[in-house]
Amino acid sequence: MNEKTMITPVHNISLYNISKEYTLNLSEYEIFMVLHGSIHIRSETYEDNYEARDLLILNPGKSYIISPLEENLVLSLAFEKHFIHEVIGNNHQIFCDSREAFQKDYEPMRNLVASIVSAYFDNAEGNKLTIYSMIFSLLAMIQKNFTASTINLSDTSENSKHLSRIQEIISYVDENYPSVITLASLAEHLYLSPQYLSKFIKQHFHKTFYEYLNQVRIEHALSEIQYTDTSITKIAFNCGFPNLTAFNKIFKEFYHTTPSSYRKEFRQSAGKQQVQHEGTMDEDISTQNIENVRAYLSDLSLKGSQNDTKSPGADTNHYVISANMTESVPQNNPFTRIINAGYAVNMLSFSFLEQLESTFKSVDFTYIRFIGILDDDILPEVEGDKTSGYNFHLVDMILDFLFERGKIPFLELSSKPRKTTIATTRTGFLTNSGNFKEKIFPPSHFQKLDMLIRHCINRYGLSFVSSWYFEVWAAHSDYLEYDESGVEYAQRFKKIHTILSAHLPVLHLGGPGFNTSAPIAFLQNFIQEINREKLSFSFLSIYLYPYKVTASNLLKHKDDYVILSADKDIFSKKLSFIKSSLSSFYRQFPPVIVTEYNSDLAGQNHINDSCFQSAFICRSFLRLKNDVDMMAYWLLSDLTEEYMDFSSTKKGGIGLFNEQGQKKPAFFAYEFLNQLGNAVICEGDNYIVTMSSTNHYQILAFNYAHVSKYYCLSHSDKVNVQDTYSIFDPVSPVNMTFQLYNLEAGQYKIKRHVLDRDHGSLLDTMAHMWFQGNLSFERLSYNISNLSPEEQEYFSMACIPSQSIFYKNSDGSLTLNCKVSAHEVIFYDISLQLQ
């Protein structure tokens, strides 16, 4: 088979010297990339100028008028329409134009197109497999970044609001069609019931789930039949069909012939096709032009550097972010509004208050959430006191501290076990021994609460107390069984509501502190019973931890596991699932406050002490900031006794500070978030550009690596400190180029902060000391905890992010380059200097 008769999904490759106006009436998809010069393209709906490195996809069934602006060279790849529909799906529309959607990163696509064309020109036949591989990589890139579903999206908003779920169904089936997938497995993935999902698919896809699954499998099988020599039997198994008979039967339903006959007829037709190296738009393209195209493609690669689509051996991704500094939208920062202090008793510790005071200097938390203010050791009853009956001395100490600093209490009113166990071999949740129901909110607490509110209004004023937030937790066991029914919870909530509303004209009372790893039916039941009492939550409070619960856990098998989720988007999916599951209860959804979240509660390792935690916080911020009203990190400090580990030697901790008050990488991540501006200029998966005031900008960039699937299954195992960073999926460094334009001209001062394993990581600093000595890590930890105050201060100062300051003159634009390694966070503060 020679080059010109090679079976390929690319209908032709052309080089155009456009010297006059042409009209294109397309019957196929064409990728246009300007290699040199500039052209003008006009259609019925838009027009624009395209210069060197600009790229767009022209869609079939449309007319385009192309004219020259200067001497030019344009590359075109034409793909057959039916092939695109079979691979990407005919339920998708392609929107790809580097001029219209300039904020997207087109560099990976440019490089892939360049690589495909170079391989054709060099040796099409010899590079056949490589070319096929790159073509399918290109189409995967197009499908992921430049398509939108057109399934049943008519003019009605009812259909449009379901677009996200429709696309998630499409993606799941596209990714898993070779495997054995069922309606039940898809329903579990989407956190839906199979019955609801079946009706949803029938409504929006106009076919059953299995009809749609077979359609996708046949579309993928068709590509293998057309463009590979793989046996029909193997194709059947590759595409998820149980046997050849089933494949033949379903294929015939679609194409009215057998797969073998279809392949034979297609090959006979395809043999007549030709890959064109010279374009027909202008007939005077010379051989020298074709040879010189390698120079343009080489130049593209040099300018584009390396990116998402890496050649073998590439170890970095490259993103070019263009930011128009005159365009912005308001920024929501729910992460720096609230922090968990743990139990009220912590607020009586001088060391703890020192850490809290230190936090206020760096992060402007407004709300301080703590638990147990009604407990007897904080608010004891005083016999013989006829005035109030309670001693408010300790309560006043806590509240005075907050009041004097302008901080607002966020009170969890339910009692929780002061010491809870993280038994990661069985569960990642609170372990409640015995019947905990009577301890959640003892009858005496109702009177205590009433007297507390009266006392605080008298002492601090009605305005201050009315600003407080109150949460009523519905307690659950370690197996996520709730200790009180929906009716019991609603009755307790009603009594608390009656007490508070009698004194406070503005009431912020929410609940139920729902653990999002529990079955959603519990939360629905709580809300249903609250509604029956003609009440409502002022805010919905939930806990977000990345745990996956198996069905066997709910059966109380003692050796069951609650495992970490390998899905790095588990938080956003849980939030989406909760909102969709509760939509029938609310016309207007209440504010959502995540009153506890963290990457893991286990104390068997140092994951919360590592640089991973800083990137985790930054990524969670970008994913969730627009979905929640407040997001409370659990926990401020390791200087607490809430969590006891099964291991004899304490390891790690889940606070922003360690027990000695030294700041962890997580703390510095919060410090960076606090410095972000209140207006977003642009953002992506791993960066955000903001503005805090006129000519004052910030850039936050990071490189997140998720815990590996193996670790998710075995995270109960103790991980030695030297192996901490081995539990994550490997990720390549990322090269980011930030191109800031429409700036005011002048000199800019740029502060660059780097948080990585060498700068700002207490864990890595200690590990380095350990590697150089002959002490065990536990002994080293003990020695460091017993340093003198001067030594402690020096050690803390040695574990901070690096900072460098430099200046750049700008004529209206600035370019900043940074390479971000795994777990690394980089923060830029950019301000115009007054002349």
Side-chain angles (χ1 to χ4, degrees):
M1 186 183 296
N2 62 39
E3 179 180 336
K4 295 190 178 221
T5 61
M6 191 173 99
I7 299 172
T8 169
V10 179
H11 186 263
N12 66 60
I13 296 176
S14 300
L15 291 174
Y16 298 137
N17 284 143
I18 299 175
S19 59
K20 58 183 180 181
E21 185 176 281
Y22 287 92
T23 299
L24 291 180
N25 296 303
L26 296 180
S27 60
E28 53 198 5
Y29 290 90
E30 284 203 29
I31 298 177
F32 256 50
M33 185 161 66
V34 180
L35 301 180
H36 174 69
S38 58
I39 60 174
H40 182 82
I41 299 180
R42 184 171 78 252
S43 72
E44 295 176 356
T45 57
Y46 80 98
E47 63 177 318
D48 211 336
N49 298 332
Y50 293 83
E51 302 172 349
R53 297 174 57 77
D54 278 339
L55 180 148
L56 75 159
I57 295 179
L58 305 181
N59 288 280
K62 295 185 178 182
S63 179
Y64 300 89
I65 299 174
I66 304 177
S67 55
L69 296 177
E70 58 181 335
E71 183 178 352
N72 57 74
L73 184 62
V74 179
L75 174 68
S76 167
L77 274 73
F79 287 83
E80 294 175 347
K81 178 181 176 180
H82 80 275
F83 173 77
I84 296 295
H85 286 174
E86 288 160 4
V87 175
I88 294 181
N90 55 15
N91 296 321
H92 291 79
Q93 179 70 37
I94 296 176
F95 301 95
C96 178
D97 189 325
S98 61
R99 302 292 292 184
E100 294 294 311
F102 61 86
Q103 73 277 10
K104 291 188 176 182
D105 183 11
Y106 290 82
E107 217 48 47
M109 191 170 176
R110 290 188 186 103
N111 281 3
L112 254 184
V113 170
S115 299
I116 291 170
V117 175
S118 293
Y120 266 115
F121 286 170
D122 289 336
N123 184 355
E125 182 65 19
N127 293 329
K128 182 169 64 174
L129 292 178
T130 301
I131 292 168
Y132 283 169
S133 173
M134 290 189 292
I135 286 173
F136 282 98
S137 294
L138 176 65
L139 295 178
M141 189 181 298
I142 292 171
Q143 184 182 49
K144 179 180 179 181
N145 300 300
F146 302 103
T147 62
S149 173
T150 58
I151 295 179
N152 198 28
L153 294 181
S154 56
D155 295 333
T156 65
S157 60
E158 179 65 20
N159 286 326
S160 298
K161 74 177 183 180
H162 292 304
L163 176 59
S164 176
R165 180 170 293 162
I166 290 171
Q167 291 176 327
E168 193 165 8
I169 292 170
I170 292 171
S171 297
Y172 182 88
V173 174
D174 282 345
E175 292 173 6
N176 295 280
Y177 73 90
S179 307
V180 177
I181 56 175
T182 64
L183 180 67
S185 65
L186 175 58
E188 181 181 1
H189 175 74
L190 296 173
Y191 299 96
L192 299 172
S193 71
Q195 294 79 10
Y196 174 85
L197 180 59
S198 178
K199 293 178 181 178
F200 182 94
I201 292 176
K202 186 69 175 177
Q203 177 183 355
H204 294 280
F205 288 68
H206 301 296
K207 54 184 61 115
T208 68
F209 166 73
Y210 289 102
E211 287 172 345
Y212 176 68
L213 175 60
N214 284 334
Q215 175 186 318
V216 171
R217 285 172 168 168
I218 287 294
E219 288 174 352
H220 285 276
L222 192 68
S223 299
E224 288 199 58
I225 291 171
Q226 291 171 331
Y227 303 112
T228 75
D229 294 321
T230 305
S231 70
I232 300 299
T233 301
K234 189 170 183 180
I235 290 174
F237 287 108
N238 287 347
C239 295
F241 292 96
N243 51 59
L244 183 59
T245 301
F247 177 46
N248 284 332
K249 180 177 181 295
I250 295 172
F251 189 93
K252 200 166 185 178
E253 290 176 359
F254 279 85
Y255 293 100
H256 309 292
T257 187
T258 64
S260 299
S261 299
Y262 184 95
R263 171 179 276 177
K264 183 177 180 180
E265 293 172 7
F266 179 82
R267 294 291 172 90
Q268 289 174 349
S269 173
K272 300 174 183 179
Q273 294 181 2
Q274 171 175 308
V275 176
Q276 295 177 269
H277 283 190
E278 297 188 11
T280 57
M281 194 172 293
D282 276 354
E283 296 297 331
D284 61 346
I285 294 180
S286 66
T287 302
Q288 185 61 42
N289 279 112
I290 297 174
E291 293 301 321
N292 285 343
V293 76
R294 289 184 176 84
Y296 293 117
L297 298 179
S298 176
D299 182 57
L300 277 174
S301 297
L302 286 174
K303 290 182 179 179
S305 185
Q306 294 173 315
N307 49 59
D308 271 340
T309 307
K310 300 183 288 293
S311 59
D315 63 352
T316 59
N317 301 318
H318 185 219
Y319 301 96
V320 179
I321 299 104
S322 296
N324 184 348
M325 309 308 277
T326 61
E327 296 180 356
S328 63
V329 295
Q331 157 87 330
N332 182 36
N333 196 339
F335 280 56
T336 57
R337 295 184 67 195
I338 182 172
I339 186 65
N340 273 296
Y343 290 82
V345 68
N346 297 334
M347 304 281 288
L348 300 174
S349 163
F350 175 76
S351 297
F352 185 89
L353 292 182
E354 276 191 322
Q355 295 181 17
L356 190 55
E357 188 82 78
S358 175
T359 303
F360 295 156
K361 296 176 182 178
S362 301
V363 187
D364 191 24
F365 290 118
T366 301
Y367 298 93
I368 312 302
R369 179 176 180 265
F370 53 95
I371 302 162
I373 197 169
L374 299 176
D375 290 353
D376 291 340
D377 54 354
I378 300 296
L379 186 56
E381 185 176 358
V382 179
E383 295 183 8
D385 187 340
K386 299 181 180 180
T387 304
S388 67
Y390 299 98
N391 185 340
F392 290 97
H393 174 67
L394 298 180
V395 169
D396 292 343
M397 288 178 61
I398 295 171
L399 297 179
D400 285 353
F401 177 87
L402 299 178
F403 182 74
E404 291 166 4
R405 290 156 181 79
K407 305 303 177 182
I408 300 174
F410 191 119
L411 302 180
E412 169 53 79
L413 296 178
S414 300
S415 295
K416 291 186 177 182
R418 184 64 55 83
K419 293 183 180 181
T420 53
T421 303
I422 298 305
T424 55
T425 54
R426 296 197 302 274
T427 176
F429 303 104
L430 303 177
T431 298
N432 304 324
S433 58
N435 183 4
F436 190 60
K437 183 162 59 177
E438 297 302 321
K439 305 175 186 177
I440 297 172
F441 204 89
S444 61
H445 276 26
F446 292 109
Q447 182 181 359
K448 270 191 181 183
L449 177 61
D450 182 70
M451 299 307 298
L452 172 69
I453 299 302
R454 292 174 186 269
H455 170 82
C456 291
I457 290 175
N458 291 335
R459 184 178 179 88
Y460 304 106
L462 181 61
S463 177
F464 178 60
V465 181
S466 294
S467 69
W468 295 6
Y469 275 66
F470 302 91
E471 181 181 7
V472 181
W473 177 58
H476 56 69
S477 70
D478 54 341
Y479 287 101
L480 297 181
E481 286 192 339
Y482 277 82
D483 289 312
E484 57 183 342
S485 67
V487 173
E488 291 171 322
Y489 175 81
Q491 289 296 321
R492 180 162 64 92
F493 184 89
K494 182 178 180 179
K495 290 180 181 179
I496 293 172
H497 183 278
T498 300
I499 292 169
L500 294 177
S501 60
H503 301 294
L504 304 176
V506 178
L507 180 58
H508 308 287
L509 176 63
F514 177 68
N515 193 320
T516 53
S517 297
I520 191 66
F522 286 118
L523 178 57
Q524 292 171 328
N525 181 242
F526 292 140
I527 294 174
Q528 183 178 5
E529 296 303 328
I530 291 289
N531 291 345
R532 285 181 181 173
E533 296 293 340
K534 301 190 183 305
L535 297 173
S536 61
F537 291 124
S538 302
F539 58 89
L540 187 68
S541 69
I542 63 175
Y543 296 173
L544 271 182
Y545 294 109
Y547 297 112
K548 180 178 177 65
V549 181
T550 61
S552 60
N553 281 98
L554 304 179
L555 300 177
K556 296 186 178 181
H557 292 171
K558 292 184 178 181
D559 295 327
D560 290 333
Y561 287 80
V562 174
I563 62 174
L564 283 172
S565 173
D567 186 349
K568 61 184 177 181
D569 293 317
I570 188 66
F571 282 177
S572 56
K573 288 181 178 179
K574 284 187 174 186
L575 279 172
S576 176
F577 174 59
I578 284 176
K579 290 184 177 181
S580 64
S581 300
L582 303 182
S583 58
S584 62
F585 291 97
Y586 298 107
R587 291 182 179 178
Q588 183 175 357
F589 211 87
V592 176
I593 299 180
V594 178
T595 48
E596 293 183 18
Y597 89 98
N598 207 308
S599 63
D600 195 1
L601 289 176
Q604 299 278 343
N605 54 64
H606 288 275
I607 187 172
N608 295 90
D609 295 340
S610 70
C611 284
F612 157 83
Q613 195 74 354
S614 54
F616 160 78
I617 290 170
C618 292
R619 188 178 191 276
S620 298
F621 168 78
L622 285 183
R623 294 299 187 280
L624 306 179
K625 65 185 177 70
N626 296 320
D627 297 326
V628 298
D629 290 80
M630 286 193 252
M631 187 93 173
Y633 186 80
W634 184 270
L635 190 63
L636 174 73
S637 175
D638 293 347
L639 194 65
T640 62
E641 295 182 347
E642 287 85 50
Y643 288 90
M644 301 297 291
D645 201 289
F646 276 150
S647 62
S648 58
T649 303
K650 183 177 180 182
K651 287 189 174 185
I654 55 176
L656 299 178
F657 293 85
N658 70 1
E659 292 175 316
Q660 287 72 48
Q662 292 153 342
K663 299 171 181 176
K664 302 182 185 181
F667 177 91
F668 298 117
Y670 264 92
E671 196 170 49
F672 294 155
L673 294 183
N674 191 71
Q675 295 178 59
L676 290 174
N678 55 11
V680 178
I681 293 169
C682 64
E683 60 184 288
D685 287 343
N686 52 0
Y687 69 88
I688 185 170
V689 182
T690 68
M691 177 175 67
S692 57
S693 60
T694 303
N695 299 322
H696 190 186
Y697 310 99
Q698 302 78 32
I699 298 174
L700 177 69
F702 59 91
N703 191 356
Y704 176 81
H706 197 57
V707 288
S708 68
K709 291 181 179 179
Y710 174 80
Y711 176 74
C712 288
L713 294 172
S714 60
H715 79 288
S716 60
D717 293 343
K718 298 177 182 179
V719 179
N720 293 327
V721 65
Q722 69 268 29
D723 297 326
T724 296
Y725 291 96
S726 69
I727 66 175
F728 303 100
D729 284 331
V731 297
S732 299
V734 176
N735 282 330
M736 296 189 190
T737 299
F738 291 93
Q739 297 176 341
L740 316 181
Y741 62 95
N742 284 342
L743 290 163
E744 184 176 329
Q747 186 182 74
Y748 283 82
K749 179 180 181 180
I750 303 169
K751 297 180 183 179
R752 184 176 188 265
H753 306 263
V754 177
L755 171 59
D756 59 16
R757 296 182 63 181
D758 295 322
H759 309 93
S761 175
L762 180 68
L763 173 66
D764 288 282
T765 301
M766 292 174 63
H768 182 68
M769 295 170 61
W770 173 44
F771 293 152
Q772 292 184 331
N774 57 6
L775 297 176
S776 67
F777 188 79
E778 288 73 18
R779 182 64 191 182
L780 175 64
S781 300
Y782 173 81
N783 287 355
I784 290 176
S785 67
N786 288 278
L787 296 175
S788 68
E790 294 80 8
E791 291 170 334
Q792 284 279 8
E793 182 178 1
Y794 178 83
F795 189 74
S796 297
M797 291 300 296
C799 302
I800 62 174
S802 68
Q803 176 178 296
S804 58
I805 300 175
F806 55 98
Y807 297 84
K808 279 194 172 187
N809 293 320
S810 171
D811 59 358
S813 64
L814 276 177
T815 299
L816 298 173
N817 297 292
C818 63
K819 181 177 180 180
V820 192
S821 300
H823 313 299
E824 187 174 17
V825 180
I826 297 179
F827 183 83
Y828 289 96
D829 183 89
I830 306 162
S831 58
L832 179 66
Q833 300 297 284
L834 298 177
Q835 302 299 320

